[in-house]
Amino acid sequence: MKKIVNFLFPHFTCLACDGEINVSKHSYICDVCFEKFIVCNPARASGQLALSKKIAPNSKAVKVSYIYSPFYYAPPLSDIILKLKYANEGLVAKLFAPLMVSVLDKSYDVVIPIPLSKGRERERGFNQAMILARDVGSLIEIPVMENILVKIKNTAPQVNMSHEERLDNQKDSYSVIDTEQVKDKRIILVDDVLTSGATANECARILKRAGAKMVSIVTIARVKPSKDKEINII
């Protein structure tokens, strides 16, 4: 019954607390829950400054130009993102895609979702980054390349991995199907959450090796560093 109500009246049930929305400034979520989101201010971070300590001592190893995220990853937002990741809750994308676009520079040529392995996508039945990318691309009116960047190696779950283990886990996991499609392009990658940045940086490395001019990433949220100076927002 709840799923039927959510389908028929999506604006009246909060994605975070499942409570009834009587009056709200936002679609799909009540004002009380929205006020609990931790805003990234400002929302744009330099990839070099944010990831250099995590990716490698040599900053040249960082291939992500910018990181865009409207929020930090924490409850109740993290609970909502899990609905997108594991329950194919399309309304989550409808809620957050406009907020992601609102913090994004309008200087990109193409949108590319962070790919899942074929096995993982078959298991879930969808790719949450793809769902977000389609909405982001539609809102900023640039093409979405869904099958250009592919995952070619099954990687282990990274939840309990160190930064070094994540880097090794992601190395050589991706490939570009048609290099001509990305050559000289300014690419914005899309994913739900940025944690260590290992996945995003490996995708950016492969895309730049294939000829991409610039690669950045936009996510719903990013993990807040233990010290703000480590991410050095610009």
Side-chain angles (χ1 to χ4, degrees):
M1 179 60 72
K2 176 185 170 184
K3 289 184 178 180
I4 296 175
V5 172
N6 287 346
F7 177 77
L8 294 175
F9 307 105
H11 291 266
F12 301 137
T13 304
C14 177
L15 286 167
C17 67
D18 292 325
E20 182 180 345
I21 301 176
N22 294 315
V23 178
S24 178
K25 299 175 184 177
H26 313 279
S27 300
Y28 315 122
I29 190 164
C30 69
D31 290 338
V32 173
C33 289
F34 194 89
E35 290 300 319
K36 295 178 182 177
F37 293 173
I38 304 173
V39 176
C40 293
N41 186 23
R44 185 180 77 165
S46 161
Q48 285 285 339
L49 295 174
L51 302 181
S52 59
K53 291 183 179 180
K54 297 179 179 181
I55 299 301
N58 183 356
S59 63
K60 291 182 179 180
V62 177
K63 303 302 181 182
V64 176
S65 294
Y66 294 104
I67 300 164
Y68 303 87
S69 306
F71 304 106
Y72 285 121
Y73 189 67
L77 175 59
S78 53
D79 299 326
I80 299 175
I81 291 175
L82 288 176
K83 291 184 178 181
L84 172 66
K85 190 185 291 286
Y86 295 109
N88 194 15
E89 180 55 84
L91 296 181
V92 176
K94 298 298 180 187
L95 167 63
F96 287 109
L99 297 171
M100 294 164 71
V101 167
S102 72
V103 302
L104 185 62
D105 295 329
K106 309 302 188 291
S107 58
Y108 295 95
D109 303 310
V110 65
V111 175
I112 294 181
I114 296 287
L116 289 175
S117 67
K118 291 182 179 180
R120 184 68 60 84
E121 189 164 351
R122 281 196 301 268
E123 180 182 311
R124 289 186 185 174
F126 61 96
N127 176 4
Q128 74 278 2
M130 184 80 73
I131 296 172
L132 286 169
R134 288 169 179 168
D135 282 350
V136 168
S138 176
L139 288 168
I140 60 178
E141 299 181 330
I142 65 173
V144 180
M145 291 186 179
E146 299 189 1
N147 299 302
I148 291 295
L149 181 67
V150 297
K151 193 165 188 179
I152 58 174
K153 185 178 82 172
N154 290 325
T155 52
Q158 300 187 148
V159 176
N160 297 313
M161 288 186 181
S162 67
H163 293 317
E164 292 76 13
E165 289 170 333
R166 285 172 184 252
L167 289 173
D168 187 61
N169 190 47
Q170 292 295 331
K171 188 175 181 180
D172 298 323
S173 296
Y174 302 91
S175 180
V176 175
I177 297 300
D178 185 350
T179 58
E180 287 300 314
Q181 294 295 314
V182 302
K183 187 178 180 181
D184 296 324
K185 294 290 194 303
R186 294 164 298 178
I187 295 169
I188 185 72
L189 295 168
V190 176
D191 207 356
D192 51 357
V193 180
L194 185 128
T195 50
S196 71
T199 299
N201 197 67
E202 180 63 13
C203 288
R205 185 181 73 84
I206 295 300
L207 287 164
K208 294 193 79 171
R209 190 174 69 182
K213 183 177 181 180
M214 174 184 180
V215 183
S216 298
I217 185 168
V218 61
T219 63
I220 299 172
R222 62 175 178 255
V223 172
K224 191 173 185 179
S226 56
K227 295 180 181 179
D228 287 343
K229 66 179 180 180
E230 289 183 7
I231 202 161
N232 219 338
I233 308 298
I234 63 170

